[in-house]
Amino acid sequence: MNALLTLLGWLSLITGIIGIVVPLLPTTPFVLLSAALFARSSPRFHRWLLDHPQFGPLIDDWQRHRGIRRSARRRANLLILLSFGVSLLLVPSVWLRVLLLVMMVGLLVIINRLPLVEPVALKQ
């Protein structure tokens, strides 16, 4: 069972990484799923993911506070608007444009309703 959960964790992480460059494929849910799968199957991979400079803070914010940082929210809003904006320009069908617009608004509402997490200042 551990091997299966580890494999699913890696597949989820790879899908999330692909989502960084592919519009409409979300990164964050796949990274969070990877963390949950690794927590149940591989302490080593879970620790690696938590220590990762890009993914670690995102996972920590979600696990501790069920929220995101203001900078992550701004970045998510910008990328959602850019990717959906380009898609809306490229799609010829009116009903697909309406569907994309509804999806975009839904994502923006979800992202902007998440609680904000303030980063913890490092002690000097």
Side-chain angles (χ1 to χ4, degrees):
M1 190 56 131
N2 280 350
L4 177 62
L5 292 175
T6 302
L7 175 64
L8 291 173
W10 280 109
L11 290 174
S12 178
L13 184 61
I14 290 167
T15 304
I17 291 170
I18 292 170
I20 293 171
V21 294
V22 175
L24 303 181
L25 185 62
T27 297
T28 302
F30 287 109
V31 172
L32 293 175
L33 176 60
S34 296
L37 291 166
F38 288 152
R40 289 165 181 75
S41 64
S42 173
R44 186 179 102 201
F45 292 142
H46 186 250
R47 174 59 35 214
W48 172 80
L49 199 54
L50 290 176
D51 290 339
H52 192 275
Q54 277 74 40
F55 300 135
L58 171 104
I59 295 166
D60 187 59
D61 290 343
W62 184 255
Q63 287 179 343
R64 288 180 192 235
H65 309 289
R66 293 290 187 242
I68 61 174
R69 294 180 185 186
R70 187 176 310 276
S71 61
R73 179 183 283 179
R74 277 195 305 265
R75 216 175 11 245
N77 283 329
L78 177 66
L79 291 174
I80 288 168
L81 290 170
L82 285 174
S83 64
F84 276 91
V86 168
S87 297
L88 287 167
L89 291 174
L90 296 177
V91 171
S93 172
V94 173
W95 72 270
L96 283 176
R97 285 184 182 164
V98 170
L99 181 63
L100 284 170
L101 193 59
V102 169
M103 289 170 56
M104 180 184 76
V105 169
L107 280 172
L108 289 171
V109 167
I110 290 169
I111 294 291
N112 288 291
R113 291 193 68 200
L114 290 173
L116 286 176
V117 175
E118 295 304 321
V120 178
L122 297 174
K123 294 182 181 180
Q124 304 220 4

